[in-house]
Amino acid sequence: MSYRCYDKEYKSPEELVLHMQAKGLSIGNKPDALMFIDNVNYYRFKVYLWPFLDPSLLSYRPNSTFEQGVELYRFDEALRNLIFSIVCRIEIKLRSKLDQVVAAHTNNPFWYLDSSLFVKTSQNKMDRLRASLASNFLYSKDDFSNHFKNNYYNETHDDFKHLPPFWVISELATFGQIPIIYSALDKAKFQGERGANKLDVLADEFGAKNLKELNSWITAIRDVRNRCAHHSRVWNANYRQASGLLHKLDPNYQPTNANRIYLFCVLLERINHTLSMGFDIKTELLGLFEKYPEAQHRCASAGFPADWHQDPIWS
């Protein structure tokens, strides 16, 4: 692979507007366009103009407008906010439900420090996670952290005697650490009465058939959550596919692309329905498409099939 020096010069908002016009993009209101580019990084925005590009000519297709790109940008912003509000609620439930099940089963508030509860292949990963949590806890100035530091210790793990119960430390954990814990648990240690595994029962509470499927869902949630948290494009980005969802959809309403955000919206609806969270995701999505017609015209790029809302899964 050969490299060359990056030699592109800085362009002012005025120069960037002229640059877009030179490539065939129509701009209806130049002052508004200048204000938008002044407030939104052009590099961040131009990805929303890609649907209007003719790749063979490296110019915009006839009748493409700056305002169409802005509409896609605003749609993505609203979609991201909607998804994030739902995911935040699910995130809290994933933390609390995990602690309720494992702490009740083990009768140990410090269960996350008990290496015997995790598969051997994940021991190093769990020790790294504990070290990270210990660092967060050490530097935490929260009242709940200081209260434990000044009064208690645990006898579960000699290297982490200063760490608190999971329901305390989980307040300092990142969501990226939660999938590590879920996937590292040794499922065999949680066999309940009459053959029911308590971790599979936990998965069923979220609408998944077992822990393996739930772990796939948590990974998908983490990926999309991170994009939302970093204000990244979500509407037509590619994602890993959460397992066990496609067969739940009507054959007439399969996603145009199973790696786009539509299937993730189906996942949110599945969890929302099972946990009775009270979100009306279908109505919210329909409202966004009505508000931003440009997104409606391009809904297939987000994986939405025609008349997606007619699928019984949204009933």
Side-chain angles (χ1 to χ4, degrees):
M1 180 182 294
S2 61
Y3 295 89
R4 62 188 179 92
C5 179
Y6 186 89
D7 58 1
K8 295 182 179 180
E9 297 179 351
Y10 164 79
K11 285 185 171 63
S12 67
E14 292 81 2
E15 290 172 320
L16 289 169
V17 167
L18 291 173
H19 171 73
M20 288 184 283
Q21 288 179 314
K23 295 181 70 173
L25 190 67
S26 175
I27 298 178
N29 188 313
K30 190 172 180 180
D32 284 353
L34 286 170
M35 184 179 297
F36 183 88
I37 294 299
D38 193 46
N39 292 322
V40 177
N41 187 313
Y42 170 71
Y43 185 80
R44 173 186 179 81
F45 172 62
K46 70 177 185 178
V47 69
Y48 296 92
L49 297 175
W50 284 357
F52 309 103
L53 271 175
D54 184 335
S56 63
L57 299 176
L58 295 180
S59 62
Y60 293 102
R61 295 186 177 90
N63 303 316
S64 296
T65 70
F66 179 86
E67 288 73 21
Q68 287 174 306
V70 171
E71 190 170 320
L72 285 181
Y73 181 88
R74 294 304 183 198
F75 166 76
D76 192 45
E77 187 176 55
L79 178 63
R80 189 166 59 241
N81 290 338
L82 170 63
I83 289 173
F84 196 57
S85 67
I86 300 170
V87 165
C88 285
R89 288 267 301 276
I90 295 173
E91 176 184 345
I92 292 171
K93 289 182 181 293
L94 285 167
R95 294 171 190 256
S96 61
K97 292 283 188 181
L98 176 65
D99 189 46
Q100 290 167 18
V101 170
V102 181
H105 179 73
T106 61
N107 195 29
N108 181 2
F110 304 93
W111 58 265
Y112 70 103
L113 300 176
D114 184 354
S115 295
S116 70
L117 297 176
F118 300 91
V119 295
K120 291 182 179 180
T121 55
S122 295
Q123 295 299 334
N124 290 337
K125 186 184 298 183
M126 284 301 301
D127 277 338
R128 289 195 296 272
L129 182 144
R130 291 167 186 142
S132 177
L133 293 175
S135 178
N136 292 345
F137 187 64
L138 175 65
Y139 291 105
S140 172
K141 303 299 182 184
D142 288 305
D143 290 342
F144 65 84
S145 299
N146 290 331
H147 178 72
F148 188 89
K149 291 176 193 176
N150 295 332
N151 293 279
Y152 305 105
Y153 67 91
N154 76 77
E155 294 184 331
T156 301
H157 198 302
D158 289 340
D159 294 335
F160 301 102
K161 296 178 75 68
H162 62 292
L163 288 182
F166 184 78
W167 59 71
V168 175
I169 200 67
S170 66
E171 294 297 313
L172 301 175
T174 67
F175 185 60
Q177 292 170 324
I178 301 304
I180 295 175
I181 300 173
Y182 265 93
S183 62
L185 284 167
D186 186 349
K187 186 176 169 181
K189 301 292 177 64
F190 295 89
Q191 203 63 32
E193 299 177 359
R194 296 186 293 276
N197 187 280
K198 293 186 178 181
L199 296 181
D200 283 341
V201 173
L202 168 63
D204 182 67
E205 289 188 45
F206 285 87
K209 69 178 181 180
N210 53 35
L211 178 63
K212 181 179 180 180
E213 185 168 282
L214 179 62
N215 278 329
S216 169
W217 291 10
I218 296 172
T219 299
I221 292 170
R222 179 202 63 195
D223 291 349
V224 177
R225 180 202 181 278
N226 287 346
R227 293 190 68 86
C228 290
H230 292 94
H231 313 290
S232 301
R233 172 176 52 94
V234 299
W235 81 281
N236 66 343
N238 283 317
Y239 306 96
R240 71 184 82 200
Q241 185 183 139
S243 63
L245 293 174
L246 284 177
H247 76 274
K248 293 180 171 64
L249 297 173
D250 188 295
N252 296 315
Y253 301 103
Q254 290 293 301
T256 58
N257 185 330
N259 296 106
R260 296 294 173 91
I261 200 66
Y262 174 68
L263 194 64
F264 184 76
C265 291
V266 170
L267 169 58
L268 294 183
E269 174 58 22
R270 174 73 175 176
I271 296 175
N272 172 57
H273 176 76
T274 306
L275 292 178
S276 300
M277 296 175 65
F279 289 103
D280 190 346
I281 300 175
K282 180 177 76 170
T283 298
E284 294 281 358
L285 289 172
L286 287 171
L288 289 182
F289 282 125
E290 182 178 0
K291 184 176 181 179
Y292 302 101
E294 191 61 43
Q296 175 64 57
H297 298 330
R298 300 178 183 278
C299 66
S301 296
F304 285 76
D307 298 322
W308 58 271
H309 53 282
Q310 300 293 342
D311 191 312
I313 201 166
W314 295 101
S315 300

